[in-house]
Amino acid sequence: MTDNNSDTLSKPSSFKQRNKSNIVKLKFWTAMWVLTMALTNFGPWLLWDYNLTFSALAVILNLALGVKMVLANINHLKGLDEMQQRIQLNAMGITLGLSLIVGLAYSNLDVLNLISYHAEISHLVIFMGLTYLIATFIGQSKYQ
Amino acid sequence: MKNKLKVLRAERDWTQAQLAEALDVSRQTINAIEKGKFDPSLPLAFKAARLFKLAIEDIFQDEV
């Protein structure tokens, strides 16, 4: 490439660098949120013997870090280009729609005693995660 | 929508990664546009036109 072309193509902050930084921040806040989730669940019987003040503080900390994680995710999504944003939007739409209908159907199964165990929220979270992952993968393959 | 992005890029001896950086998008997006699998937005099309110093219609053509 000529020098002239290099000048035309030079950028102060590249798309790659910006995204890398956004992903690092998202990973950090997600890890913090997961850690405080573990603290909230295991802390009462491992660390503070069901002390209500500590339990309430753990819940508040978990919520606060959850908000930070959501903000980091918004920042990450804003940093993506238009095709990547479309893939993410489609994946989120599919995840929301399927989670709603499958989640409520699953709840109905429990209410009507058609399943031998309780419909847990964690099952829905796992379903949402897998749906989002598969929808993102399909979206990416569509544009390859 | 058809486009001449691949030809214009090749004429300038640019890689997809270099063009992607200049247009502030991912290399995958450049690849998808070149293959006609993704139509860019008007702002991105204008950005490409400015970069190649061409009119939008010289790069992107409607498929009727």
mmCIF file of all heavy atoms in Angstrom, chain A residues 1-39:
data_model
loop_
_atom_site.group_PDB
_atom_site.id
_atom_site.type_symbol
_atom_site.label_atom_id
_atom_site.label_comp_id
_atom_site.label_asym_id
_atom_site.label_seq_id
_atom_site.Cartn_x
_atom_site.Cartn_y
_atom_site.Cartn_z
ATOM 1 N N MET A 1 0.839 -1.199 0.000
ATOM 2 C CA MET A 1 0.000 0.000 0.000
ATOM 3 C C MET A 1 0.879 1.256 0.000
ATOM 4 O O MET A 1 1.905 1.294 0.655
ATOM 5 C CB MET A 1 -0.907 -0.017 1.235
ATOM 6 C CG MET A 1 -1.956 1.053 1.184
ATOM 7 S SD MET A 1 -2.882 1.117 2.709
ATOM 8 C CE MET A 1 -3.511 -0.528 2.730
ATOM 9 N N THR A 2 0.498 2.266 -0.724
ATOM 10 C CA THR A 2 1.301 3.483 -0.792
ATOM 11 C C THR A 2 1.146 4.293 0.491
ATOM 12 O O THR A 2 0.220 4.062 1.265
ATOM 13 C CB THR A 2 0.853 4.367 -1.980
ATOM 14 O OG1 THR A 2 -0.482 4.756 -1.724
ATOM 15 C CG2 THR A 2 0.972 3.633 -3.303
ATOM 16 N N ASP A 3 2.042 5.281 0.683
ATOM 17 C CA ASP A 3 1.949 6.144 1.869
ATOM 18 C C ASP A 3 0.646 6.925 1.883
ATOM 19 O O ASP A 3 0.043 7.149 2.916
ATOM 20 C CB ASP A 3 3.135 7.127 1.904
ATOM 21 C CG ASP A 3 4.413 6.394 2.271
ATOM 22 O OD1 ASP A 3 4.314 5.294 2.862
ATOM 23 O OD2 ASP A 3 5.481 6.896 1.948
ATOM 24 N N ASN A 4 0.253 7.343 0.658
ATOM 25 C CA ASN A 4 -0.981 8.101 0.534
ATOM 26 C C ASN A 4 -2.170 7.272 1.025
ATOM 27 O O ASN A 4 -3.031 7.748 1.753
ATOM 28 C CB ASN A 4 -1.177 8.499 -0.940
ATOM 29 C CG ASN A 4 -2.330 9.471 -1.102
ATOM 30 O OD1 ASN A 4 -2.582 10.259 -0.202
ATOM 31 N ND2 ASN A 4 -3.008 9.408 -2.235
ATOM 32 N N ASN A 5 -2.153 5.985 0.634
ATOM 33 C CA ASN A 5 -3.218 5.090 1.078
ATOM 34 C C ASN A 5 -3.183 4.909 2.589
ATOM 35 O O ASN A 5 -4.216 4.855 3.242
ATOM 36 C CB ASN A 5 -3.089 3.723 0.400
ATOM 37 C CG ASN A 5 -3.537 3.779 -1.050
ATOM 38 O OD1 ASN A 5 -4.157 4.745 -1.459
ATOM 39 N ND2 ASN A 5 -3.191 2.747 -1.801
ATOM 40 N N SER A 6 -1.975 4.806 3.141
ATOM 41 C CA SER A 6 -1.835 4.631 4.588
ATOM 42 C C SER A 6 -2.434 5.825 5.323
ATOM 43 O O SER A 6 -3.098 5.668 6.340
ATOM 44 C CB SER A 6 -0.369 4.494 4.968
ATOM 45 O OG SER A 6 0.168 3.364 4.352
ATOM 46 N N ASP A 7 -2.190 7.035 4.786
ATOM 47 C CA ASP A 7 -2.750 8.245 5.400
ATOM 48 C C ASP A 7 -4.269 8.199 5.366
ATOM 49 O O ASP A 7 -4.943 8.526 6.333
ATOM 50 C CB ASP A 7 -2.260 9.502 4.666
ATOM 51 C CG ASP A 7 -0.790 9.778 4.972
ATOM 52 O OD1 ASP A 7 -0.276 9.175 5.945
ATOM 53 O OD2 ASP A 7 -0.173 10.547 4.231
ATOM 54 N N THR A 8 -4.802 7.779 4.203
ATOM 55 C CA THR A 8 -6.246 7.731 4.038
ATOM 56 C C THR A 8 -6.864 6.742 5.019
ATOM 57 O O THR A 8 -7.938 6.959 5.552
ATOM 58 C CB THR A 8 -6.596 7.275 2.601
ATOM 59 O OG1 THR A 8 -5.800 8.015 1.701
ATOM 60 C CG2 THR A 8 -8.055 7.471 2.292
ATOM 61 N N LEU A 9 -6.136 5.640 5.272
ATOM 62 C CA LEU A 9 -6.695 4.575 6.089
ATOM 63 C C LEU A 9 -6.365 4.698 7.573
ATOM 64 O O LEU A 9 -6.871 3.934 8.372
ATOM 65 C CB LEU A 9 -6.201 3.211 5.574
ATOM 66 C CG LEU A 9 -6.673 2.815 4.184
ATOM 67 C CD1 LEU A 9 -6.023 1.524 3.753
ATOM 68 C CD2 LEU A 9 -8.177 2.660 4.146
ATOM 69 N N SER A 10 -5.483 5.654 7.953
ATOM 70 C CA SER A 10 -5.090 5.725 9.367
ATOM 71 C C SER A 10 -6.233 6.242 10.241
ATOM 72 O O SER A 10 -7.010 7.086 9.837
ATOM 73 C CB SER A 10 -3.872 6.624 9.547
ATOM 74 O OG SER A 10 -4.211 7.933 9.200
ATOM 75 N N LYS A 11 -6.325 5.682 11.440
ATOM 76 C CA LYS A 11 -7.401 6.030 12.377
ATOM 77 C C LYS A 11 -6.826 6.236 13.765
ATOM 78 O O LYS A 11 -5.928 5.509 14.180
ATOM 79 C CB LYS A 11 -8.415 4.885 12.443
ATOM 80 C CG LYS A 11 -9.385 4.864 11.313
ATOM 81 C CD LYS A 11 -10.641 5.539 11.727
ATOM 82 C CE LYS A 11 -11.476 5.916 10.510
ATOM 83 N NZ LYS A 11 -12.570 6.806 10.856
ATOM 84 N N PRO A 12 -7.300 7.233 14.522
ATOM 85 C CA PRO A 12 -6.755 7.441 15.858
ATOM 86 C C PRO A 12 -7.045 6.262 16.796
ATOM 87 O O PRO A 12 -6.203 5.822 17.542
ATOM 88 C CB PRO A 12 -7.459 8.714 16.334
ATOM 89 C CG PRO A 12 -8.629 8.894 15.453
ATOM 90 C CD PRO A 12 -8.333 8.198 14.175
ATOM 91 N N SER A 13 -8.273 5.750 16.774
ATOM 92 C CA SER A 13 -8.612 4.613 17.630
ATOM 93 C C SER A 13 -9.357 3.606 16.779
ATOM 94 O O SER A 13 -10.447 3.881 16.291
ATOM 95 C CB SER A 13 -9.481 5.101 18.782
ATOM 96 O OG SER A 13 -10.102 4.014 19.393
ATOM 97 N N SER A 14 -8.757 2.447 16.591
ATOM 98 C CA SER A 14 -9.365 1.500 15.663
ATOM 99 C C SER A 14 -10.560 0.796 16.269
ATOM 100 O O SER A 14 -10.698 0.700 17.499
ATOM 101 C CB SER A 14 -8.337 0.491 15.198
ATOM 102 O OG SER A 14 -8.190 -0.523 16.155
ATOM 103 N N PHE A 15 -11.390 0.305 15.382
ATOM 104 C CA PHE A 15 -12.597 -0.429 15.753
ATOM 105 C C PHE A 15 -12.224 -1.631 16.628
ATOM 106 O O PHE A 15 -12.853 -1.885 17.648
ATOM 107 C CB PHE A 15 -13.275 -0.883 14.456
ATOM 108 C CG PHE A 15 -14.475 -1.748 14.649
ATOM 109 C CD1 PHE A 15 -15.709 -1.191 14.941
ATOM 110 C CD2 PHE A 15 -14.375 -3.120 14.539
ATOM 111 C CE1 PHE A 15 -16.810 -1.995 15.130
ATOM 112 C CE2 PHE A 15 -15.476 -3.930 14.724
ATOM 113 C CZ PHE A 15 -16.690 -3.368 15.017
ATOM 114 N N LYS A 16 -11.159 -2.332 16.211
ATOM 115 C CA LYS A 16 -10.696 -3.527 16.931
ATOM 116 C C LYS A 16 -10.283 -3.191 18.363
ATOM 117 O O LYS A 16 -10.690 -3.860 19.311
ATOM 118 C CB LYS A 16 -9.492 -4.123 16.192
ATOM 119 C CG LYS A 16 -9.780 -5.429 15.494
ATOM 120 C CD LYS A 16 -8.512 -5.964 14.898
ATOM 121 C CE LYS A 16 -8.753 -7.263 14.157
ATOM 122 N NZ LYS A 16 -7.545 -7.751 13.506
ATOM 123 N N GLN A 17 -9.463 -2.132 18.503
ATOM 124 C CA GLN A 17 -8.965 -1.735 19.832
ATOM 125 C C GLN A 17 -10.110 -1.340 20.761
ATOM 126 O O GLN A 17 -10.144 -1.711 21.928
ATOM 127 C CB GLN A 17 -7.995 -0.564 19.705
ATOM 128 C CG GLN A 17 -6.653 -0.956 19.124
ATOM 129 C CD GLN A 17 -5.807 0.249 18.785
ATOM 130 O OE1 GLN A 17 -6.345 1.322 18.470
ATOM 131 N NE2 GLN A 17 -4.502 0.087 18.811
ATOM 132 N N ARG A 18 -11.049 -0.554 20.184
ATOM 133 C CA ARG A 18 -12.185 -0.073 20.975
ATOM 134 C C ARG A 18 -13.026 -1.255 21.478
ATOM 135 O O ARG A 18 -13.416 -1.304 22.634
ATOM 136 C CB ARG A 18 -13.020 0.857 20.091
ATOM 137 C CG ARG A 18 -13.893 1.816 20.862
ATOM 138 C CD ARG A 18 -14.585 2.800 19.959
ATOM 139 N NE ARG A 18 -15.398 2.173 18.934
ATOM 140 C CZ ARG A 18 -15.245 2.354 17.638
ATOM 141 N NH1 ARG A 18 -14.301 3.140 17.192
ATOM 142 N NH2 ARG A 18 -16.038 1.761 16.766
ATOM 143 N N ASN A 19 -13.258 -2.208 20.558
ATOM 144 C CA ASN A 19 -14.058 -3.372 20.935
ATOM 145 C C ASN A 19 -13.366 -4.254 21.951
ATOM 146 O O ASN A 19 -14.003 -4.795 22.844
ATOM 147 C CB ASN A 19 -14.420 -4.182 19.688
ATOM 148 C CG ASN A 19 -15.734 -3.726 19.125
ATOM 149 O OD1 ASN A 19 -16.772 -3.969 19.711
ATOM 150 N ND2 ASN A 19 -15.684 -3.015 18.030
ATOM 151 N N LYS A 20 -12.048 -4.381 21.767
ATOM 152 C CA LYS A 20 -11.270 -5.194 22.697
ATOM 153 C C LYS A 20 -11.394 -4.616 24.110
ATOM 154 O O LYS A 20 -11.620 -5.346 25.073
ATOM 155 C CB LYS A 20 -9.801 -5.195 22.241
ATOM 156 C CG LYS A 20 -9.022 -6.418 22.668
ATOM 157 C CD LYS A 20 -7.652 -6.409 22.046
ATOM 158 C CE LYS A 20 -6.807 -7.528 22.586
ATOM 159 N NZ LYS A 20 -5.454 -7.524 22.044
ATOM 160 N N SER A 21 -11.263 -3.296 24.194
ATOM 161 C CA SER A 21 -11.359 -2.621 25.493
ATOM 162 C C SER A 21 -12.763 -2.793 26.092
ATOM 163 O O SER A 21 -12.906 -3.058 27.289
ATOM 164 C CB SER A 21 -11.014 -1.143 25.286
ATOM 165 O OG SER A 21 -11.565 -0.357 26.281
ATOM 166 N N ASN A 22 -13.801 -2.668 25.239
ATOM 167 C CA ASN A 22 -15.180 -2.834 25.728
ATOM 168 C C ASN A 22 -15.423 -4.257 26.220
ATOM 169 O O ASN A 22 -16.112 -4.468 27.223
ATOM 170 C CB ASN A 22 -16.185 -2.516 24.609
ATOM 171 C CG ASN A 22 -16.286 -1.031 24.347
ATOM 172 O OD1 ASN A 22 -15.875 -0.222 25.162
ATOM 173 N ND2 ASN A 22 -16.808 -0.659 23.198
ATOM 174 N N ILE A 23 -14.841 -5.246 25.511
ATOM 175 C CA ILE A 23 -15.013 -6.655 25.897
ATOM 176 C C ILE A 23 -14.310 -6.932 27.223
ATOM 177 O O ILE A 23 -14.849 -7.629 28.091
ATOM 178 C CB ILE A 23 -14.520 -7.605 24.774
ATOM 179 C CG1 ILE A 23 -15.496 -7.550 23.596
ATOM 180 C CG2 ILE A 23 -14.381 -9.040 25.271
ATOM 181 C CD1 ILE A 23 -15.005 -8.230 22.333
ATOM 182 N N VAL A 24 -13.118 -6.352 27.402
ATOM 183 C CA VAL A 24 -12.374 -6.534 28.663
ATOM 184 C C VAL A 24 -13.207 -5.989 29.832
ATOM 185 O O VAL A 24 -13.345 -6.645 30.875
ATOM 186 C CB VAL A 24 -10.988 -5.851 28.587
ATOM 187 C CG1 VAL A 24 -10.336 -5.777 29.960
ATOM 188 C CG2 VAL A 24 -10.078 -6.598 27.614
ATOM 189 N N LYS A 25 -13.785 -4.786 29.634
ATOM 190 C CA LYS A 25 -14.611 -4.182 30.691
ATOM 191 C C LYS A 25 -15.838 -5.046 30.971
ATOM 192 O O LYS A 25 -16.197 -5.247 32.136
ATOM 193 C CB LYS A 25 -15.059 -2.773 30.272
ATOM 194 C CG LYS A 25 -13.958 -1.747 30.363
ATOM 195 C CD LYS A 25 -14.441 -0.408 29.865
ATOM 196 C CE LYS A 25 -13.266 0.521 29.636
ATOM 197 N NZ LYS A 25 -13.601 1.661 28.775
ATOM 198 N N LEU A 26 -16.481 -5.552 29.899
ATOM 199 C CA LEU A 26 -17.669 -6.390 30.066
ATOM 200 C C LEU A 26 -17.322 -7.678 30.812
ATOM 201 O O LEU A 26 -18.058 -8.102 31.711
ATOM 202 C CB LEU A 26 -18.289 -6.702 28.693
ATOM 203 C CG LEU A 26 -19.544 -7.579 28.685
ATOM 204 C CD1 LEU A 26 -20.661 -6.965 29.517
ATOM 205 C CD2 LEU A 26 -20.033 -7.800 27.255
ATOM 206 N N LYS A 27 -16.194 -8.278 30.453
ATOM 207 C CA LYS A 27 -15.745 -9.510 31.130
ATOM 208 C C LYS A 27 -15.518 -9.241 32.617
ATOM 209 O O LYS A 27 -15.899 -10.045 33.474
ATOM 210 C CB LYS A 27 -14.429 -10.016 30.503
ATOM 211 C CG LYS A 27 -14.613 -10.853 29.258
ATOM 212 C CD LYS A 27 -13.249 -11.302 28.777
ATOM 213 C CE LYS A 27 -13.330 -12.077 27.489
ATOM 214 N NZ LYS A 27 -11.982 -12.366 26.953
ATOM 215 N N PHE A 28 -14.879 -8.107 32.921
ATOM 216 C CA PHE A 28 -14.569 -7.762 34.310
ATOM 217 C C PHE A 28 -15.847 -7.616 35.137
ATOM 218 O O PHE A 28 -15.984 -8.227 36.194
ATOM 219 C CB PHE A 28 -13.743 -6.465 34.364
ATOM 220 C CG PHE A 28 -13.514 -5.966 35.760
ATOM 221 C CD1 PHE A 28 -12.554 -6.560 36.575
ATOM 222 C CD2 PHE A 28 -14.262 -4.916 36.278
ATOM 223 C CE1 PHE A 28 -12.350 -6.115 37.877
ATOM 224 C CE2 PHE A 28 -14.067 -4.454 37.577
ATOM 225 C CZ PHE A 28 -13.103 -5.057 38.370
ATOM 226 N N TRP A 29 -16.807 -6.814 34.638
ATOM 227 C CA TRP A 29 -18.027 -6.572 35.405
ATOM 228 C C TRP A 29 -18.899 -7.823 35.483
ATOM 229 O O TRP A 29 -19.585 -8.036 36.483
ATOM 230 C CB TRP A 29 -18.812 -5.379 34.837
ATOM 231 C CG TRP A 29 -18.102 -4.087 35.114
ATOM 232 C CD1 TRP A 29 -17.549 -3.239 34.194
ATOM 233 C CD2 TRP A 29 -17.810 -3.518 36.400
ATOM 234 N NE1 TRP A 29 -16.934 -2.182 34.823
ATOM 235 C CE2 TRP A 29 -17.084 -2.323 36.173
ATOM 236 C CE3 TRP A 29 -18.088 -3.894 37.716
ATOM 237 C CZ2 TRP A 29 -16.639 -1.513 37.212
ATOM 238 C CZ3 TRP A 29 -17.642 -3.082 38.760
ATOM 239 C CH2 TRP A 29 -16.933 -1.909 38.496
ATOM 240 N N THR A 30 -18.843 -8.663 34.427
ATOM 241 C CA THR A 30 -19.590 -9.929 34.471
ATOM 242 C C THR A 30 -18.991 -10.839 35.540
ATOM 243 O O THR A 30 -19.721 -11.463 36.319
ATOM 244 C CB THR A 30 -19.570 -10.631 33.089
ATOM 245 O OG1 THR A 30 -20.067 -9.724 32.113
ATOM 246 C CG2 THR A 30 -20.420 -11.885 33.080
ATOM 247 N N ALA A 31 -17.654 -10.902 35.583
ATOM 248 C CA ALA A 31 -16.974 -11.727 36.590
ATOM 249 C C ALA A 31 -17.314 -11.235 38.001
ATOM 250 O O ALA A 31 -17.579 -12.036 38.909
ATOM 251 C CB ALA A 31 -15.472 -11.700 36.357
ATOM 252 N N MET A 32 -17.335 -9.904 38.187
ATOM 253 C CA MET A 32 -17.668 -9.326 39.493
ATOM 254 C C MET A 32 -19.094 -9.682 39.902
ATOM 255 O O MET A 32 -19.377 -10.033 41.047
ATOM 256 C CB MET A 32 -17.519 -7.785 39.455
ATOM 257 C CG MET A 32 -16.112 -7.278 39.347
ATOM 258 S SD MET A 32 -15.113 -7.731 40.780
ATOM 259 C CE MET A 32 -14.098 -8.997 40.127
ATOM 260 N N TRP A 33 -19.998 -9.607 38.931
ATOM 261 C CA TRP A 33 -21.410 -9.921 39.193
ATOM 262 C C TRP A 33 -21.559 -11.396 39.568
ATOM 263 O O TRP A 33 -22.264 -11.742 40.513
ATOM 264 C CB TRP A 33 -22.258 -9.581 37.966
ATOM 265 C CG TRP A 33 -23.704 -9.953 38.126
ATOM 266 C CD1 TRP A 33 -24.621 -9.317 38.908
ATOM 267 C CD2 TRP A 33 -24.372 -11.058 37.521
ATOM 268 N NE1 TRP A 33 -25.833 -9.961 38.821
ATOM 269 C CE2 TRP A 33 -25.704 -11.027 37.965
ATOM 270 C CE3 TRP A 33 -23.988 -12.055 36.628
ATOM 271 C CZ2 TRP A 33 -26.645 -11.959 37.566
ATOM 272 C CZ3 TRP A 33 -24.923 -12.979 36.223
ATOM 273 C CH2 TRP A 33 -26.238 -12.924 36.693
ATOM 274 N N VAL A 34 -20.878 -12.273 38.822
ATOM 275 C CA VAL A 34 -20.941 -13.719 39.109
ATOM 276 C C VAL A 34 -20.373 -14.005 40.499
ATOM 277 O O VAL A 34 -20.950 -14.779 41.268
ATOM 278 C CB VAL A 34 -20.197 -14.532 38.014
ATOM 279 C CG1 VAL A 34 -20.045 -15.991 38.420
ATOM 280 C CG2 VAL A 34 -20.938 -14.445 36.685
ATOM 281 N N LEU A 35 -19.267 -13.341 40.850
ATOM 282 C CA LEU A 35 -18.648 -13.546 42.164
ATOM 283 C C LEU A 35 -19.582 -13.122 43.297
ATOM 284 O O LEU A 35 -19.718 -13.828 44.300
ATOM 285 C CB LEU A 35 -17.327 -12.770 42.260
ATOM 286 C CG LEU A 35 -16.116 -13.413 41.592
ATOM 287 C CD1 LEU A 35 -14.911 -12.478 41.644
ATOM 288 C CD2 LEU A 35 -15.766 -14.745 42.260
ATOM 289 N N THR A 36 -20.248 -11.959 43.105
ATOM 290 C CA THR A 36 -21.164 -11.495 44.167
ATOM 291 C C THR A 36 -22.425 -12.356 44.207
ATOM 292 O O THR A 36 -23.058 -12.474 45.254
ATOM 293 C CB THR A 36 -21.540 -10.005 44.005
ATOM 294 O OG1 THR A 36 -22.033 -9.789 42.691
ATOM 295 C CG2 THR A 36 -20.369 -9.099 44.291
ATOM 296 N N MET A 37 -22.768 -12.955 43.064
ATOM 297 C CA MET A 37 -23.908 -13.890 43.046
ATOM 298 C C MET A 37 -23.557 -15.114 43.901
ATOM 299 O O MET A 37 -24.383 -15.596 44.691
ATOM 300 C CB MET A 37 -24.205 -14.300 41.593
ATOM 301 C CG MET A 37 -25.374 -15.253 41.434
ATOM 302 S SD MET A 37 -26.940 -14.566 42.002
ATOM 303 C CE MET A 37 -27.399 -13.562 40.611
ATOM 304 N N ALA A 38 -22.325 -15.595 43.746
ATOM 305 C CA ALA A 38 -21.857 -16.732 44.551
ATOM 306 C C ALA A 38 -21.792 -16.338 46.031
ATOM 307 O O ALA A 38 -22.199 -17.105 46.901
ATOM 308 C CB ALA A 38 -20.487 -17.187 44.058
ATOM 309 N N LEU A 39 -21.310 -15.109 46.282
ATOM 310 C CA LEU A 39 -21.213 -14.613 47.660
ATOM 311 C C LEU A 39 -22.596 -14.545 48.310
ATOM 312 O O LEU A 39 -22.785 -14.947 49.463
ATOM 313 C CB LEU A 39 -20.558 -13.224 47.651
ATOM 314 C CG LEU A 39 -20.261 -12.612 49.005
ATOM 315 C CD1 LEU A 39 -19.062 -13.293 49.651
ATOM 316 C CD2 LEU A 39 -19.981 -11.111 48.866
#
